[in-house]
Amino acid sequence: MPDDFSEPGPGRPGSSRPANGVSVASRPEEDPGWVIETVVSPFHCLYQDALHFHTQSRLAYSEAEASRLARAALMLYVASAEALVRQAAVELGRPELRGLLADPSRPLPLAEAWRLLPAIVADPDVSTQPFNPEQPPWPQFAELLMLETSWVYPGPPSTRRAYYHSPRRDGDYEPMQPHQVPTSLRRAVKADSLSYPRTGLPRDPYALRPRHLDTARGVLDAAVEALDRRMGGVLCQNKRHRMEPTRVVSPPPDAS
């Protein structure tokens, strides 16, 4: 039986007794040396991971590999967008309201959380900049969120049809672009069923490519800047949303 499925034993993960027979509790305490404490910014972590996969997708050895890495990057970009707004609600929101956006037991949809954050943070007597859902970058940001939602809430098969084309029947098939739909299929295959109209992001996850990530990242960055403006600059002030401060906790400062 492979080790991955074997029961815990001496020296294996999950065992309370190491291979040498000495219990963990009886081991002399090891000096870890210097220890630092940091406060993690999930937004910064996830965004940097998305950038990594974004870069790797450009260097991929095949279209399939590039698409796989692009999907990972897009999911991480959207996850960072969620971390940003929930993190800001906790750190900046008024105590009586922050739970509206930061309580995982009753999460608001991400687009709604982005819309409400300025009101959660601002003092009651301070008006925030108005939110116009039809003004860029918000329609584009909505499409980015809808794309990710369509992957995790797939819907019926009729909404998940994708189309591929090739110059030969036995050739290599590529995702069909809206301008490539043949005349005979234009009644059945609408352009909006292949990609989102404002961003051009493909609805088919297998059709995602590095160039689409460039669009997705640009939309996310523009949305962060627009949200920061609505909040009077406090969201990104001094790169607050990216800061991960550290301090030495061992040895203590007064240790001789």
Side-chain angles (χ1 to χ4, degrees), residues 22-37:
V22 179
S23 68
V24 174
S26 66
R27 284 181 175 175
E29 184 177 348
E30 296 180 0
D31 181 5
W34 289 77
V35 179
I36 63 171
E37 173 191 89

Side-chain angles (χ1 to χ4, degrees), residues 9-208:
R12 292 184 182 138
S15 172
S16 61
R17 185 179 61 189
N20 59 12
V22 179
S23 68
V24 174
S26 66
R27 284 181 175 175
E29 184 177 348
E30 296 180 0
D31 181 5
W34 289 77
V35 179
I36 63 171
E37 173 191 89
T38 185
V39 178
V40 175
S41 167
F43 166 76
H44 179 70
C45 176
L46 295 169
Y47 189 96
Q48 292 300 115
D49 287 350
L51 282 178
H52 171 77
F53 284 108
H54 190 160
T55 300
Q56 292 302 309
S57 70
R58 295 194 187 103
L59 306 175
Y61 59 84
S62 68
E63 287 290 312
E65 182 69 9
S67 182
R68 183 175 294 112
L69 291 164
R71 290 192 294 276
L74 188 131
M75 295 295 286
L76 286 165
Y77 277 133
V78 176
S80 75
E82 180 154 15
L84 175 70
V85 72
R86 313 291 185 192
Q87 184 176 322
V90 171
E91 296 175 355
L92 303 173
R94 305 204 303 275
E96 70 275 17
L97 295 176
R98 66 178 59 148
L100 292 174
L101 303 189
D103 185 354
S105 67
R106 48 176 186 177
L108 283 177
L110 185 51
E112 186 72 1
W114 272 66
R115 185 181 70 83
L116 290 178
L117 180 64
I120 299 299
V121 171
D123 293 329
D125 298 330
V126 177
S127 61
T128 60
Q129 290 188 11
F131 175 74
N132 183 353
E134 297 303 319
Q135 180 180 346
W138 302 121
Q140 292 79 8
F141 185 62
E143 287 189 353
L144 175 61
L145 300 187
M146 283 190 289
L147 175 58
E148 188 267 352
T149 299
S150 73
W151 293 357
V152 294
Y153 292 89
S158 61
T159 66
R160 290 183 268 123
R161 293 192 178 102
Y163 297 87
Y164 295 78
H165 70 101
S166 171
R168 304 187 314 275
R169 182 171 183 173
D170 59 349
D172 294 329
Y173 283 78
E174 293 292 333
M176 181 177 289
Q177 306 297 316
H179 67 275
Q180 296 171 327
V181 178
T183 304
S184 60
L185 291 179
R186 284 178 184 170
R187 284 193 175 185
V189 182
K190 303 299 183 183
D192 287 1
S193 70
L194 300 179
S195 62
Y196 288 90
R198 289 184 172 92
T199 58
L201 294 173
R203 295 179 182 271
D204 175 9
Y206 292 108
L208 199 71

